[in-house]
Amino acid sequence: MNQLKYFIFNKKRDYESGYRQEIAVTERGLVLEEGVSENGIFISRLLDSGVEGNQWHRAVIQSKAYGDDSVRFYFYCSDQAGVLVDGSICQWEELIQSSEISIEKKHQIMEQCLVHVVQNPQDILLYYAKGRYLWMEIQLFCQAGFLPEIYHMKIYAGNRSFLSYLPTVCQTGGREDFLGRFLGMFEAV
């Protein structure tokens, strides 16, 4: 069985490598800057699975949220390391970090790679995230004066699931891999 590969965001340094707007990085994770804005955006660094066409498995998030509207995640996935921006190739990492490109233009460019949008997730199966690179955008919204926080995130690059424990004949995908998705519900518990 293949070794399980995952990425963890649990240190200040992990969050500092991404793009932030109106979000502060603390020792505990990400928090909306108090008194600055009602919402903020964080875009993570590019996570590289090292395998083209990689099927990303799941994301586990520990956060402090105040209702479904206080935290929103956008997951993006691509096999390409770069994208065409204004007639020239720009690496995704450069696009994410750029302070010269507006957040609206970043959204417009990244939209082609959007695979999941989830409000206040704790454990999400990334069914549609297929590609070598994955990155996420987190939007935090102030709710009645309460500031949401993100503490810890773990993103699994490989698809090691309960399905891998079954005989080979059961592992072949049909009808968009119904058995794999069905067993995935129990993995998330």
Side-chain angles (χ1 to χ4, degrees), residues 140-175:
L140 300 179
F141 300 92
C142 181
Q143 298 290 320
F146 296 104
L147 304 175
E149 296 180 58
I150 304 293
Y151 302 126
H152 176 89
M153 297 185 292
K154 192 174 196 177
I155 293 82
Y156 294 88
N159 193 1
R160 182 172 166 192
S161 68
F162 288 171
L163 197 59
S164 65
Y165 297 102
L166 296 177
T168 308
V169 70
C170 298
Q171 295 179 19
T172 57
R175 301 282 291 174

Side-chain angles (χ1 to χ4, degrees), residues 20 29 37 75 100 104 115 124 141 143 169 173 176 179 181:
R20 295 180 319 279
S37 178
F75 291 92
E100 297 171 8
E104 291 79 17
V115 291
I124 176 175
F141 300 92
Q143 298 290 320
V169 70
E176 294 197 30
L179 184 56
R181 290 184 293 131

Side-chain angles (χ1 to χ4, degrees), residues 99-114:
S99 57
E100 297 171 8
I101 300 174
S102 71
I103 194 66
E104 291 79 17
K105 186 164 184 176
K106 287 180 186 184
H107 283 146
Q108 182 183 15
I109 295 166
M110 294 188 312
E111 186 175 20
Q112 64 186 322
C113 299
L114 182 63

Side-chain angles (χ1 to χ4, degrees), residues 18-19 41-45 96 103 106 110 135-137:
Y19 169 83
I41 295 172
F42 169 79
I43 304 176
S44 75
R45 68 183 190 277
I96 290 168
I103 194 66
K106 287 180 186 184
M110 294 188 312
W135 65 101
M136 64 198 134
E137 175 182 345

